[in-house]
Amino acid sequence: MTTPARATTAARTTPARATPARTTTARRIAVIGAGPGGLYFAALAKRLAPHREITVFERDGREDEFGFGVVFSDETLDGIAQADPEVFAAIGAEFARWSDIDVRYAGEVRTCGGHGFAALDRNRLRAILQRRCEQLAVDVRYRTPAPAADRLAAEYDLVVAADGIHSGTRAAYADTFRPDLDERHCRYIWLATDKVFEAFTFIVERFDFGTLQVHAYPYSATRSTFIVEIAEDAWRRAGFDALAALAAREPSRGESDEASVRRCADLLAGHLDGHRLIPNASRWIRFTTVRNARWRHRNVVLLGDAAHSAHFSIGSGTKLALEDALALAASLHEQPSLEQALAAYEAERRPVVESTQRAAQASLEWFETVERRTGQGADRFAFNLLTRSRRVTYGNLRARDPGFVDAVDAAAGGPPGVPPMFRPLKLGTLELRNRVVVPPLATFTSADTLPSGFDRAQLTGHALGGAGLVLAGMAAVSPGGRATDRCPGLWNDRQEAAWRELVDAVRAVSDTAVGLQLTHAGRRGATAAPGPDGIGRPLADGWPLLAASPLPWGPDSPAPHAATAAQLATVVADFAEAAERAARAGFDALELQFGHGHLLSGFLSPLTNHRTDRYGGRLAHRLRLPLEVLAAVRAAWPAGRPLLVRISACDWAPGGTTAPEAVTIGRALADGGADAVDVSTGEVVAHQRPPYGRGYQTPFAELIRAATGLPTIAVGAISGHDDANSVLLAGRADLVAIGRAQLYDPLWTLHAAAEQGYTGPGAHWPGPWSAGSRRPPGPNADRVAPRLHLLTEPAAPVHRRWPPPAPEPH
């Protein structure tokens, strides 16, 4: 629930005073639900157009209280301040404010400041909005369930469905809205406590049944929200399932699971200091992430949790609902027709919500898998927790609280002043000067199976660019193992000599470690070089393809042959021979491609391996060929030189490789002599559905690293040095692979050093380029701002607790 620093302008500027409506759009509006989102929309829509008739239907009573505290971001508060200063003044007078986050873990507390929070009792917020609706003559009907959506849609110009996460309106028009309800794996129970925490507090406590975690924050001078969360299997081992079943025997609306509340109080007594836990219709539930393909159906529109939800660990549903309300009211005011207004509302809000949901998804998955990190020390664990959503980063935390980041750096053994990405790492006997890897970036420029002039130029440029390790590839181990007709290979003397010449050319200008990736493309072979869409079409005169099973890659791809035992023995020998050639060519490291749907990947995935012989079936059998290749290469490759293996740890398709299987594969690779695993995902089947986004594959590198102890390389949409530093310091991986960003800027690593002010041995500038080692000045770089304030305001303190300390006596 960390929030960005206060924005200088709101996401949307709404006039502070109501102006005459431009049109008669939506004169009669029905709102289903008198939660904060529904009430706030009604107030704003009425304020902008007083002639409107707005009716709010609410099944509960005006005085009924549900929920506890809600947290706001500074951006949301800016919007409220501009949209309705009266509401802002009323809620601002009751805010609990603080800037610290406490992480309580393994009997220790780590504090990070500089964040900025504002929280309020949800029921007080609702009361303020109720009062505002009364002032504006909004008709709010309590204890009045809304009529059917069809009836409302016929009687009113607009129906706003703010009826919550279990929206009946959404269900009534499910064919249009096409909801996706993703019920998650942990159980949680929403409580309050009369212990007033001084900061946003994460509690992670290990018990014999598993890990219990708490999300707690103050929301008044007398109360704090206290959300207890636990994984399903641990929940059952702790006996909560039996208590919940007992509480459900005679359920009534608003009833709490009192036995579970008492059990939580006992387990977490050390953090409550004698204070009580306070339920309010509190029961164990699973969080449901709500997504909808559409938010509008004719004159019916969804708002708040009815349209979307984001996990409580990163965002407040109330915050999102208020932002929806503001955007919908403004769109009705600005657009000439209802249809245009609803389209503008969805177009404006959807990108904001989807961005929040991406961060929330990363956060909830972090907490669902918290056991992966409970072996970390308190400092690294706290940093890992704070950067879980990818919104808060190493650089961001350093700007907020440099002392906190310095402490984490020191605990991780990092030299003072050295960013994590510029710390050395030893793989085998190879000392890498930093943690940046340039992965194999295929050029598809080899017309004769030899590395091309472009390959040489690219590899030399990347070696000069400062990375710790640069990998060439993808080099096929046999003619039939090529992915395209413009890929290089390493199966004959001429190719070996060409690669040796390339390595020598790189070594003449750079001492960067250089490695080579070996592959057999399997069913992904015999295509033309990819076009602008990134897809390689099958060649009309291609070559026979081998695979685990005779399954074509795509609908237009040729069917491969299921490899025979003799052909598999040849594949093993081809990899070993290519490894020997790579060693003679002078490569410092070798990577084997066991992912991305290539031949060895096809044996590992249950989606592509349907064999019934000793190479198919359960995972131990599907691993057999990859491990035979690894063993043969390990024997052929010089001892001490690092041997890396790239895998696809997830297929992003139903029935594919599971997380436990990815761990088993990682352990088998470690036992087989791999020095590190390059953890990628996907490209195994054409019907994959990966959730692309910044660092989306990193959790798999963290999973394998934590479970096996094997060094990992994180890959996939890591493009900024801030993200790289965050991944490394959090212990999610040992190295980061920078691919597309390296194509954009071949000097990515050196430029990252310049931007961070780092000039040490981890970033070696070539002598002829040393004059460029400092970032060149930009526009107005020489301008010095004059003093324009008579008195300088003191900087905001990094650490602010709640309640604030009592004033000192005069």
Side-chain angles (χ1 to χ4, degrees), residues 363-385:
S363 181
L364 74 85
E365 289 177 0
W366 192 96
F367 281 108
E368 286 178 345
T369 59
V370 70
E371 295 278 2
R372 296 178 189 172
R373 304 158 191 98
T374 51
Q376 292 184 324
D379 295 278
R380 175 165 269 181
F381 181 88
F383 180 86
N384 200 325
L385 185 152

Side-chain angles (χ1 to χ4, degrees), residues 585-644:
F587 285 103
D588 301 297
L590 194 66
E591 179 171 271
L592 304 179
Q593 173 62 288
F594 285 9
H596 292 182
H598 287 222
L599 180 64
L600 281 305
S601 172
F603 275 82
L604 288 171
S605 173
L607 294 177
T608 51
N609 186 342
H610 297 173
R611 300 174 74 100
T612 57
D613 63 1
R614 62 194 300 266
Y615 292 103
R618 57 193 181 94
L619 180 58
H621 293 176
R622 303 198 307 270
L623 266 165
R624 183 167 278 133
L625 178 65
L627 292 181
E628 288 176 0
V629 169
L630 178 60
V633 170
R634 183 74 276 179
W637 183 245
R641 292 196 210 179
L643 179 56
L644 319 176

Side-chain angles (χ1 to χ4, degrees), residues 441 458 462 719 738-748 751 755:
L441 299 169
Q458 175 172 278
H462 289 156
S719 56
I738 308 297
R740 292 195 179 187
Q742 192 77 26
L743 293 176
Y744 177 77
D745 176 12
L747 301 186
W748 185 91
H751 288 159
E755 289 169 8

Side-chain angles (χ1 to χ4, degrees), residues 709-765:
L710 187 65
T712 60
I713 305 172
V715 307
I718 301 171
S719 56
H721 59 75
D722 202 10
D723 285 338
N725 284 325
S726 299
V727 168
L728 295 166
L729 187 57
R732 299 183 181 116
D734 301 272
L735 295 146
V736 291
I738 308 297
R740 292 195 179 187
Q742 192 77 26
L743 293 176
Y744 177 77
D745 176 12
L747 301 186
W748 185 91
T749 306
L750 295 180
H751 288 159
E755 289 169 8
Q756 296 175 82
Y758 174 73
T759 59
H764 175 65
W765 279 83

Side-chain angles (χ1 to χ4, degrees), residues 90-113:
I91 64 177
E94 300 192 27
F95 275 141
R97 289 187 178 273
W98 70 97
S99 66
D100 280 357
I101 298 175
D102 288 348
V103 179
R104 300 187 178 192
Y105 162 77
E108 301 184 59
V109 180
R110 295 294 182 268
T111 299
C112 180

